[in-house]
C-alpha cells in the first residue's frame, strides 16, 4: 500500500483525461511552464494511469488554448474537486500564485460549487505540505 493515498486512478479513464487536460491548462496559464511545474504535471499525469498514447496526446495539447468553461462542464464534480486540489499544488510549486493562476483556481472552484475560501484553504494546505516535506529533508540534513 502506498504511503500517500490517492484516488485519481479510481476515476473512469475519460474523467482522468479531462482531469489531466485541466492540469495542462493551468500549467500553461501564465504562458510560462517552469521545469518544476512540468515535473509536477508529469507526476500527476503518471497518477492517471492513462495509456502512453493518451499521455503523449496530453503533452502535445499543453500549449494549446482550451475553452475551460466547456471542459469544466464535461467533468463530474468530484473530478473537478480533485483537479482543484492538484492545480493548487501545481500553482504553488514555484512558490507564487499570479493573477492568471488565481483566476483559474477561482473558476475551477466555482465549477465545483466551492468558494474562494476553499481555494485559500487548499493553498494553506499546500504550504503546510511543503513544510512537512522540508522536515524530512532536515532530518536527513539535505539542504
Amino acid at each position: 500500500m502506498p504511503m500517500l493515498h490517492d484516488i485519481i486512478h479510481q476515476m473512469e479513464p475519460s474523467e482522468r483525461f479531462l482531469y489531466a487536460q485541466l492540469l495542462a491548462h493551468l500549467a500553461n496559464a501564465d504562458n510560462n511552464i517552469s521545469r518544476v511545474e512540468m515535473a509536477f504535471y508529469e507526476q500527476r499525469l503518471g497518477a492517471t494511469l492513462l495509456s502512453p498514447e493518451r499521455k503523449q496526446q496530453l503533452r502535445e495539447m499543453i500549449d494549446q488554448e482550451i475553452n475551460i468553461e466547456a471542459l469544466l462542464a464535461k467533468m463530474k464534480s468530484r473530478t473537478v474537486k480533485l483537479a482543484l486540489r492538484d492545480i493548487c499544488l501545481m500553482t504553488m510549486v514555484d512558490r507564487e500564485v499570479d493573477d492568471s493562476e488565481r483566476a483559474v483556481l477561482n473558476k475551477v472552484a466555482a465549477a465545483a460549487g466551492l468558494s474562494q475560501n476553499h481555494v485559500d484553504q487548499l493553498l494553506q494546505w499546500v504550504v503546510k505540505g511543503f513544510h512537512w516535506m522540508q522536515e524530512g529533508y532536515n532530518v536527513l540534513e539535505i539542504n
Side-chain angles (χ1 to χ4, degrees), residues 57-125:
Q57 185 181 8
L58 285 159
R59 288 182 191 104
E60 291 169 2
M61 296 169 62
I62 202 163
D63 60 355
Q64 296 175 5
E65 285 291 319
I66 64 166
N67 180 334
I68 190 168
E69 290 82 9
L71 179 63
L72 289 167
K74 294 178 195 174
M75 298 170 73
K76 294 179 181 176
S77 177
R78 184 172 190 245
T79 305
V80 176
K81 289 176 180 180
L82 290 170
L84 179 61
R85 175 199 68 181
D86 291 346
I87 61 177
C88 283
L89 282 163
M90 187 178 349
T91 299
M92 292 292 290
V93 297
D94 59 4
R95 304 291 198 262
E96 63 185 27
V97 180
D98 69 26
D99 291 342
S100 63
E101 291 169 328
R102 174 59 88 156
V104 172
L105 292 173
N106 290 337
K107 188 178 292 190
V108 172
L114 301 173
S115 68
Q116 290 183 21
N117 185 48
H118 289 98
V119 172
D120 293 338
Q121 289 178 44
L122 280 170
L123 293 173
Q124 291 169 9
W125 168 76

